[in-house]
Amino acid sequence: MTEQSPVTEATAKAVPALPDAQTVTAVTHYTDRLFSFRVTRPASLRFRSGEFVMIGLMGDPHPETGKQKPLLRAYSIASPSWDEELEFYSIKVEDGPLTSKLQHIEVGDQIILKPKPVGTLVHDALLPGKRIYFFSTGTGFAPFASLLREPDTYENYDEVIVTHTCRDVAELTYGANLIESIKQDEMMIELLGEENLAKIRYYPTTTREKSAKMGRITTLIENGELFTDLGVPPLNPETDRAMVCGSLAFNKDIAALMEAAGLHEGANSEPGEFVIEKAFVG
Ligand code: A2P
């Protein structure tokens, strides 16, 4: 006679029920629209800082068959390639198929993570230069949270200009905290070097709430305020490189500005002067 062991909540959580399951190790909520979380990293997963993976949860059971299908979306990995865990930065959309559920994850829960990293926001897709711009809006900051903790970023460039535009000040928190922590954390200082961290020029702007610097970054590029504020020359294809991550409309507008300044879009197969990736929304 066999006796089945009772399935308690603890054992149910400990045994991966999903293929490609990873366990949530931390969750931080910033606003009613934004949160970040960390999960365990599959031992075999190698990626380049700036790449993305497909992550998600099981969808609702089919009304007739009861079968569940994975609900997956592309998420930039916000942690650097050397980190033991993986970090993600996400929007919460009330009726978003994935984020309406994902926003409720807690430490110990499991998510699905397909260990096949890809993406164009990688150093390999850019030609050598002197100054790199990271242009982001909203959760488009995520790949730069990874790249800002990657030693190559500082080895490759003399200046690292990070722009982040959000509707209000609270939405800047994740990025602001990250930059602050990189500059203060002893492990980071040792890994990246104090003189390298001094290369970071952080330029946050808001569009719907009053703050120290207001306006869409596209406007601030067009009217030249970005360059005057930072005391740097206008965009120059000889020296300047850019990585761009935000909404489709944002990416399109920035791409037009980069091209007008003589920079050409690059890819893994053919490095160029700027690269673009869409931040996941929904
Ligand atoms: P705005 O408030 O003027 O729309 P969202 O939260 O909607 O994703 O937007 C994030 C930030 O990106 C907002 O500050 C928004 O400004 C800005 N933004 C949206 N679209 C563009 C665009 N096409 N060019 C520049 N900035 C944009």
Side-chain angles (χ1 to χ4, degrees):
M1 201 176 97
T2 56
E3 199 178 279
Q4 284 191 328
S5 57
V7 178
T8 63
E9 201 183 330
T11 53
K13 276 192 172 176
V15 180
L18 307 166
D20 298 316
Q22 296 301 322
T23 306
V24 177
T25 58
V27 184
T28 310
H29 292 270
Y30 300 94
T31 68
D32 56 3
R33 290 210 316 148
L34 295 166
F35 72 115
S36 70
F37 55 96
R38 292 175 70 85
V39 302
T40 50
R41 175 174 176 168
S44 60
L45 176 67
R46 297 278 170 277
F47 67 98
R48 293 176 295 172
S49 293
E51 287 187 313
F52 65 82
V53 283
M54 303 299 290
I55 66 169
L57 298 168
M58 288 310 273
D60 290 332
H62 187 277
E64 278 150 34
T65 63
K67 279 200 177 149
Q68 286 177 283
K69 277 206 247 164
L71 195 56
L72 301 172
R73 294 287 183 273
Y75 267 80
S76 287
I77 303 172
S79 45
S81 59
W82 50 262
D83 203 331
E84 278 174 15
E85 293 182 339
L86 299 173
E87 183 178 315
F88 298 96
Y89 180 44
S90 178
I91 191 105
K92 307 175 198 174
V93 180
E94 217 174 292
D95 55 0
L98 178 61
T99 62
S100 58
K101 294 186 175 39
L102 195 64
Q103 64 180 290
H104 300 296
I105 53 167
E106 289 175 4
V107 172
D109 288 350
Q110 294 196 327
I111 65 154
I112 305 167
L113 189 149
K114 296 278 176 197
K116 288 205 181 67
V118 281
T120 56
L121 300 184
V122 290
H123 286 304
D124 295 342
L126 287 177
L127 294 166
K130 280 182 68 176
R131 186 181 292 120
I132 187 152
Y133 285 89
F134 291 154
F135 292 115
S136 65
T137 58
T139 56
F141 188 85
F144 305 132
S146 173
L147 285 156
L148 282 164
R149 289 179 274 184
E150 174 58 57
D152 278 357
T153 299
Y154 307 95
E155 270 159 38
N156 294 358
Y157 298 98
D158 298 338
E159 263 181 297
V160 180
I161 298 173
V162 189
T163 86
H164 191 200
T165 303
C166 291
R167 296 180 186 186
D168 55 44
V169 176
E171 293 186 343
L172 292 169
T173 308
Y174 174 77
N177 287 357
L178 186 107
I179 289 180
E180 182 85 4
S181 74
I182 294 178
K183 292 192 165 193
Q184 287 181 358
D185 186 296
E186 279 191 21
M187 196 273 270
M188 286 292 177
I189 296 172
E190 197 173 315
L191 176 78
L192 302 172
E194 204 151 17
E195 68 293 352
N196 280 331
L197 290 169
K199 294 179 180 179
I200 301 177
R201 314 282 310 272
Y202 176 48
Y203 193 83
T205 79
T206 57
T207 50
R208 304 194 192 182
E209 187 188 9
K210 202 163 165 11
S211 71
K213 190 74 204 177
M214 294 197 60
R216 286 182 165 200
I217 198 70
T218 41
T219 311
L220 300 166
I221 293 172
E222 271 173 310
N223 66 18
E225 269 181 59
L226 169 68
F227 312 107
T228 342
D229 286 347
L230 296 172
V232 296
L235 288 168
N236 175 349
E238 297 278 304
T239 50
D240 296 338
R241 303 291 171 259
M243 292 193 184
V244 184
C245 190
S247 64
L248 264 185
F250 171 74
N251 289 358
K252 202 166 138 270
D253 291 352
I254 291 268
L257 290 169
M258 296 301 117
E259 277 157 12
L263 280 72
H264 302 96
E265 187 170 352
N268 276 287
S269 54
E270 198 179 353
E273 284 126 13
F274 77 94
V275 281
I276 285 201
E277 207 132 79
K278 189 167 78 70
F280 160 65
V281 181

